[in-house]
Amino acid sequence: MTFNSASMVWHGWGDPARRTGIPPKAMAMLRKELGLSATSTPPVGEPALRMRPSALPDTAAQRLTDVVGPDNMRTDREARLLHAGGKSYPDLLRRRTGDAVDAPDAVVLPGSHDDVVAVLAVCAEEGIAVVPFGGGTSVVGGVEPVRGRFPAVIALDLSRLDRLVSVDRESLTATMQAGLRGPQAEELLNQRGLTLGHFPQSYEHATIGGYAATRSAGQASTGYGRFDELVVGVRMATPTGELLLDHGPASAAGPDLRAIAVGSEGVLGIITEVTLHVRPTPDRKVYEGWLFRNFHDGATALRRLAQERVAPDVVRLSDEHETRVTMALANRTGSKARLESAVLRARGYAEGCLVIVGWEGTDNSVRARRKASTAVLKESRGLRLGEGVGEAWEHGRFNGPYLRDELMDRGVFVETLETAAPWSKLHELHQAVRTALNDALTLRGTPPIVMCHISHVYESGGSLYFTFAAAAQQGQELDQWRAAKTAASKAIVATGATITHHHAVGTDHAPYLSAEVGDLGIDILKAVKARLDPTGILNPGKLIP
Amino acid sequence: MTFNSASMVWHGWGDPARRTGIPPKAMAMLRKELGLSATSTPPVGEPALRMRPSALPDTAAQRLTDVVGPDNMRTDREARLLHAGGKSYPDLLRRRTGDAVDAPDAVVLPGSHDDVVAVLAVCAEEGIAVVPFGGGTSVVGGVEPVRGRFPAVIALDLSRLDRLVSVDRESLTATMQAGLRGPQAEELLNQRGLTLGHFPQSYEHATIGGYAATRSAGQASTGYGRFDELVVGVRMATPTGELLLDHGPASAAGPDLRAIAVGSEGVLGIITEVTLHVRPTPDRKVYEGWLFRNFHDGATALRRLAQERVAPDVVRLSDEHETRVTMALANRTGSKARLESAVLRARGYAEGCLVIVGWEGTDNSVRARRKASTAVLKESRGLRLGEGVGEAWEHGRFNGPYLRDELMDRGVFVETLETAAPWSKLHELHQAVRTALNDALTLRGTPPIVMCHISHVYESGGSLYFTFAAAAQQGQELDQWRAAKTAASKAIVATGATITHHHAVGTDHAPYLSAEVGDLGIDILKAVKARLDPTGILNPGKLIP
């Protein structure tokens, strides 16, 4: 049995062979600006990892084995380590420094919806906590093996649920099992001339079920729709029965209960199948770069694109700080690069902001929509940089997590967080989060670089995706992380923005959820949980504060 | 105090002066095809209406008066009669034949969100059922004054909540109070250069709160979005507190709890304010007619429009039967009309299906999108009839309910119902519902005319809107209605389609909801209701079976 996570190292992201390195000039810049020491900070060796023995009672272990078979009921160290948490900075940091103490007591791999139902029945009766595990890519503590009030916890690894169940070509929908990873799902659809068009940065490992459970958004979601908008139907196993919703194209039959399953983060049930909108595979994809004089001009252009309903499928606008670092990482040297810099300076774009736009579809559709978008970008004083910049972005679009591993090896604290707000509040939010991160980290003697981009646009607003880096405070990394995260979260809440645009709630954002949905909103979630999961075994400590 | 419903007659729709009459030729056709007798069947006179005395206990009446003031606490016959039910065929039939027995015991008109909260507190303590009442336009029994297990019921008329609370011009959102009627809301927005773009057939009376509580869809919703898609935020008063959700442009902060309020049909709380997407007032509106040789060709064209993302803002396709009656009602006579008919016959469109398409927006946007749609319509073998046909449709777009009144005066049983399904099931659904209605009514000796149109299109499917007419069975009209409604509903459920695309559940569709969301789905609604409305006073008998 290989895990979905088999190509994932326990101390980082994916396959280390995929790392691309950091250009020396960029590294020198970071060293200087962040005040890094030359100390290398690699992960501990595997044998040094601390992990407590499995606490799964024998009866429960036997009953679970009876359900899934001995090969799919794992209590070995490797399996437990690979399910010891997600991929947030604190997750990685703990494991890199030798702490896998709280790894799950077992990893159970069901092969069907019915297996999931049977596993839940055993765990409810035996009092074992259950953490659903797809690609294990959560960056908000969503798959942390929290035991809650139970003596043991299992990771319910869904990677064997990897079938494309059915395709309705005429209605352009497809039903897929929850454990299908992004690339597997795309491949199965591509063979039929279809695409899901969902490409989050976690794409290489994240699963269909995880996308649905966390209301994911991908890099092309401005065009294809957020994952919650792609969900037509959902099948969810709960300890008290099955929720099977197929909403069809539209309905007014009471509250849309899909919204209870989608975004439920494994707390209300285990999503086993999802029916999704799919689209014909695009004949053509064009990505290109544009430059704006400043973030305000760029944001105004993006707002117009969305509100005039001519937004490209991919749209992102980096602020001045992110643009500067992106350019440094691109490592362009030589006389041509110097000449281009001089031209940009002369035209007033020296401190500019980079926009990446992309269109996908039929030749006709790409041509027509690109023309419409281009008119707005030009009117908004954008400067076209061309397709080379767009292609460079596309080439590196899934590299971020690898880069983080390399930076962590070099003593860098690097983290991301994201939010969204109406256009009328976006600049205030941008400044508030920047200031909060700057202040919190400067106060600790580790002034950061804070970068931001608008990652998705909507008619009424946009999302802000922050990446920040500082010198890691050796031995106090978790305190440092918590200080930054808390400051940023409080700034977000104070601005009235959402605590998360697409990373979900998990453990990290749970304390801020009531600010968003109110105490009564939390009580609604609790009432639904009490009905679906009366013993409370499902993903303790996540979502509901 | 005038009601929102003041311009509504108790026995029909709106203001009778707005009726436009039925062309004699069309009436002759109906008489012949339906086998109508010449008997006229007008409503009884107002004095003949039976209504039981108000059963509202004095204490409750006094406490409610203390909250809203004496002018807004009405127990008079006129107020009670105007809130005695909605506008479904059985609703009208009962009142037209003298039955207003179960009119609500009082009509209470709160002036603010806080008033609503206070009224709910009184009613929860006194054990009085509460039926929220916006425009009173429900056609599914949604505002029926059902007492449930309570001694008395009030209609909570929201017409005093008629303010445009705020507008965010930059983010294109507006916050409106729930009692604003369609035309009032449009006027307030138009003054600011904005539009909601929501035009259901009930537009002249239906309210913002009602739209949200029922997940309404309007005639231009293919372009502007269904009402549930327009909702950014919602404020709902419940007996146990306030639910205040502002989702912003997008969020992944757990399940989208707006979906609990939107579509809750007054059963979980009273929606008092809604924040909505708005758009700039269109500079230009173009509507035009097209003809297809048959329903299948037309449906294929509409599917392509949706899936290639070039759908007009308004799209509807009438089947052969609806097209034929529409043409008869249009009353075109003379040599020009005869010549046109001959030409259509010669070209194979004699038994054709009418499509109405419309685009709204800036000149540029209308031109570009019309060009893209037109290419698909032509490729799909559509024949353009021109803007005259489109304008005729636009002119009469809100006339349906008036026409029903005139037909009911002439002994006609006339009713509508609607559903939606994936494209791959749409023709099966169309046939199944047609057959069910034909069989059920023919069996009773009243063979019907059954007409249908696709009213909204989506990438994955479309909605079917049925209108059917038969000779009313004098004295057995409710049995006749029930036979037809039951047959159609069972056919819809058997096809796996939704029991309602935009009319909501109310009392009429409640028995079919579990087929759609499962027993566990119903239990989720019950769990939420138990938390929000523990005494069960809110809109008894609606939504939850």
Side-chain angles (χ1 to χ4, degrees), chain A residues 211-338:
Chain A
Y211 291 156
T214 59
R215 301 176 70 190
S216 169
Q219 292 163 351
S221 291
T222 293
Y224 288 89
R226 294 169 55 86
F227 204 78
D228 46 17
E229 295 170 323
L230 299 182
V231 175
V232 177
V234 64
R235 186 179 192 192
M236 187 165 85
T238 83
T240 55
E242 176 182 341
L243 194 64
L244 181 60
L245 300 167
D246 186 343
H247 186 263
S251 173
D256 183 356
L257 294 177
R258 289 176 304 174
I260 289 297
V262 173
S264 61
E265 303 192 16
V267 164
L268 305 178
I270 312 288
I271 294 169
T272 58
E273 280 179 24
V274 191
T275 300
L276 294 159
H277 289 291
V278 292
R279 274 59 177 248
T281 317
D283 302 326
R284 194 159 170 227
K285 298 185 180 192
V286 181
Y287 305 108
E288 62 184 25
W290 287 71
L291 204 59
F292 285 81
R293 285 202 174 81
N294 53 56
F295 190 65
H296 186 276
D297 276 10
T300 303
L302 266 54
R303 176 169 66 81
R304 283 195 53 194
L305 288 171
Q307 294 184 342
E308 296 176 25
R309 296 196 253 176
V310 292
D313 300 312
V314 171
V315 200
R316 56 180 281 158
L317 161 68
S318 296
D319 70 3
E320 293 84 347
H321 312 280
E322 187 172 282
T323 301
R324 182 174 66 91
V325 174
T326 302
M327 298 297 193
L329 285 169
N331 199 28
R332 299 187 67 241
T333 50
S335 56
K336 185 153 176 267
R338 277 196 301 278

Side-chain angles (χ1 to χ4, degrees), chain B residues 356-367:
Chain B
I356 300 292
V357 283
W359 301 267
E360 307 189 351
T362 60
D363 283 344
N364 270 335
S365 156
V366 167
R367 194 179 311 116

Side-chain angles (χ1 to χ4, degrees), chain A residues 30 56 195 208 250 254 266 295 308 365 402 409 411 416 437 463 465 514:
Chain A
L30 285 177
L56 191 69
T195 181
I208 296 294
F295 190 65
E308 296 176 25
S365 156
Y402 290 106
D409 283 350
T416 63
L437 289 170
S463 62
Y465 191 97
S514 65

Side-chain angles (χ1 to χ4, degrees), chain B residues 316-372:
Chain B
R316 56 180 280 157
L317 161 68
S318 296
D319 69 4
E320 294 83 348
H321 311 280
E322 187 172 284
T323 301
R324 182 174 67 91
V325 175
T326 303
M327 297 297 193
L329 285 169
N331 199 26
R332 299 188 68 240
T333 50
S335 56
K336 183 153 177 268
R338 277 196 301 277
L339 178 63
E340 283 172 8
S341 295
V343 170
L344 292 178
R345 247 193 324 276
R347 296 181 62 176
Y349 289 87
E351 305 287 307
C353 288
L354 180 64
V355 165
I356 300 292
V357 283
W359 301 267
E360 307 189 351
T362 60
D363 283 344
N364 270 335
S365 156
V366 167
R367 194 179 311 116
R369 294 188 301 124
R370 188 183 187 188
K371 188 177 162 190

